[in-house]
Amino acid sequence: LIYTASRDRTIKVWNASEGEGKGRVGLLVRTLVGHGHRVNTLAVSCDYVCRTGPFDHYGKISDLYTKDRSSSEWRDAAYQASVAKYKAFKGSGEPERLVSGSDDFTLLLWHPTDNKRPIKRLTGHQQAVNHIAFSPDSRFFASASFDKKIKLWNGRSGDFVTTLTGHVGAVYQVAWSSDGRYLVSASKDSTAKLWEVPSGKRARETLPGHEDEVYALDWSPDGTGVATGSKDRTIKVWRH
């Protein structure tokens, strides 16, 4: 399935695979309605599994001995490893979870493969929600807001866990370390901050150096580095 969010306050679910009983690719499956303002961001519980494909957190594929990525052997093994990894995640017995964030200051937790109604409405932010990200193991998800706060939530129930306070400007984006122990955030205050999860309510480190707002950041899948992008027209790479 593919999920899209819109200024029209809805989330649409589209079919992305062919097969008996699934209909054509691109077919609208359902529309999710619940937000009172435009929907800014979506996060799916299997994001990390899909993003890393067949690779483990060392950037390797288990039980694959050929290193020639152009070979059919490597491509077949990589495909099978990706499918096995995704099936293991799906086979945990938990439904795929979707979380949406909106200008209505709320988040909604959905089971989009089963139901078109939200499972839970998550409140607490006092301004628009900019970004949401699930931890690699999907135990938690974090939300970033114009209210200068990051909130941490239980990835299965949607229960509130804690608020991370320290930025003095809007928080635009968050990213998780590959082991799920740390979170990094980007802010209008020209800094990025490193947080220990879920224990740390205060930032463990502040990453200074940008001369203007930090709009974007990402943590490498192997966990070794963080990249931040700023309005000052630079990208900085930080080693973990």
Side-chain angles (χ1 to χ4, degrees):
L1 298 174
I2 295 173
Y3 307 104
T4 58
S6 171
R7 188 175 180 178
D8 68 8
R9 301 178 292 178
T10 70
I11 300 158
K12 294 193 181 293
V13 184
W14 311 85
N15 180 44
S17 60
E18 297 176 330
E20 186 176 348
K22 293 185 177 180
R24 63 178 175 82
V25 173
L27 179 71
L28 178 64
V29 177
R30 61 179 61 90
T31 299
L32 310 180
V33 179
H35 281 295
H37 211 302
R38 68 184 178 195
V39 185
N40 297 321
T41 179
L42 299 173
V44 184
S45 55
C46 61
D47 276 344
Y48 188 80
V49 173
C50 294
R51 178 185 181 189
T52 54
F55 300 101
D56 60 22
H57 59 285
Y58 296 110
K60 299 178 180 179
I61 303 175
S62 300
D63 302 324
L64 180 60
Y65 301 104
T66 179
K67 295 183 179 180
D68 181 8
R69 296 194 178 193
S70 64
S71 69
S72 59
E73 180 186 356
W74 190 94
R75 290 195 299 270
D76 290 344
Y79 173 76
Q80 294 300 328
S82 297
V83 171
K85 191 174 173 183
Y86 182 71
K87 284 184 176 178
F89 177 85
K90 295 285 285 184
S92 63
E94 299 175 353
E96 185 169 273
R97 287 153 280 143
L98 175 75
V99 181
S100 54
S102 169
D103 266 18
D104 66 10
F105 307 173
T106 72
L107 298 86
L108 292 177
L109 175 64
W110 313 80
H111 290 169
T113 58
D114 303 327
N115 201 324
K116 63 181 181 180
R117 296 186 179 277
I119 302 303
K120 191 170 188 176
R121 183 179 298 274
L122 316 180
T123 60
H125 280 299
Q126 297 176 0
Q127 292 191 47
V129 180
N130 292 321
H131 187 238
I132 303 166
F134 269 96
S135 61
D137 61 6
S138 79
R139 289 180 57 220
F140 301 103
F141 58 87
S143 56
S145 170
F146 272 110
D147 67 8
K148 309 174 190 176
K149 304 290 195 302
I150 302 155
K151 290 189 180 293
L152 196 67
W153 314 83
N154 184 291
R156 294 173 175 84
S157 66
D159 291 342
F160 172 73
V161 176
T162 192
T163 298
L164 308 180
T165 305
H167 282 295
V168 295
V171 186
Y172 293 135
Q173 197 167 352
V174 292
W176 292 85
S177 63
S178 58
D179 61 7
R181 294 175 57 205
Y182 299 99
L183 185 75
V184 68
S185 55
S187 172
K188 184 178 180 178
D189 66 14
S190 79
T191 71
K193 288 184 182 292
L194 177 71
W195 313 83
E196 191 168 359
V197 178
S199 58
K201 293 186 179 181
R202 299 290 177 182
R204 178 164 177 167
E205 298 286 346
T206 296
L207 311 181
H210 282 296
E211 297 176 1
D212 213 327
E213 303 176 40
V214 183
Y215 285 138
L217 84 171
D218 204 356
W219 205 310
S220 62
D222 64 3
T224 59
V226 172
T228 55
S230 170
K231 189 178 179 181
D232 67 10
R233 298 176 295 177
T234 68
I235 297 167
K236 293 186 182 296
V237 180
W238 313 81
R239 185 170 300 280
H240 175 57

